[in-house]
Amino acid sequence: RRVDPTGAVHPLSANEVGQLLTMTADDIDLSADQTPVAFLFPSRRYASQAGWDQYFGYGRANAPRALAAVHDGALPPEADLLDPDWWTTLDPVRTPEITVTGSAAAPHAPGFGWELAFGCGVQPAEDGWTPITTMPGLTAAVPAGPLATWSVADAALHCAIDPASVATTAPSGTPSPGNTPDAFTVTLRLRVTDALDRRGEARRTLY
């Protein structure tokens, strides 16, 4: 239970509400079904994959499942990344490493652990994450503060990112075949898993 400055009592934190909506969502994975969709003109489904992806996020909100989780007390743990901020641009030469800050907690479980990892691109597959730091066996909440020192330079090498390269765009404004807005993208993920195997996540997309 949380009490805000006005004295109002909130049974759930804002982070718990967010985790409930995302962790109970129905995954939308149409990668096995690219059947053309006919409207007024031929169309194809948006590209997707199992788990989080850039077009559907965590999926379609499932309100009954989220409410059932609240009713049963099956609340996911809290996870929050604070710094670096969304879409921060990092030069692996000028800034070879940074401190990642965040917080983690599992107030509805006897214990939890967290993993901070990075993946190449905007939507790494589940097997595409490289751990930065793992902290298991915790019982007390981790308040907002430093989680790990992350080697940006090593991540750039791992993801084959050349900081000296420049994406080219044709004079017409149409990107050339080799130019993708995600060519220099890396994703950070903080995943918190409690002792009851419930999960909470926070992400940041960086360049």
Side-chain angles (χ1 to χ4, degrees), residues 6-63:
T6 69
V9 177
H10 304 276
L12 301 177
S13 69
N15 194 284
E16 285 175 324
V17 173
Q19 299 296 343
L20 269 169
L21 290 174
T22 55
M23 294 297 105
T24 61
D26 294 324
D27 186 27
I28 298 177
D29 178 16
L30 305 173
S31 57
D33 182 10
Q34 286 298 310
T35 305
V37 180
F39 293 105
L40 297 177
F41 50 85
S43 179
R44 296 182 61 188
R45 301 179 188 274
Y46 280 110
S48 60
Q49 64 181 27
W52 192 95
D53 62 68
Q54 62 180 323
Y55 292 111
F56 299 104
Y58 286 99
R60 182 185 297 109
N62 187 319

Side-chain angles (χ1 to χ4, degrees), residues 77 105-106 108-113 137-140 192-198:
H108 306 281
F112 68 99
L138 301 175
T139 55
V192 181
T193 305
D194 69 19
L196 302 174
D197 206 31
R198 297 187 293 243

Side-chain angles (χ1 to χ4, degrees), residues 154-196:
D154 287 349
L157 287 174
H158 180 83
C159 297
I161 295 174
D162 179 7
S165 64
V166 178
T168 58
T169 301
S172 65
T174 303
S176 60
N179 177 25
T180 166
D182 300 319
F184 305 99
T185 303
V186 176
T187 302
L188 280 177
R189 182 185 72 183
L190 174 63
R191 171 174 283 181
V192 181
T193 305
D194 69 19
L196 302 174

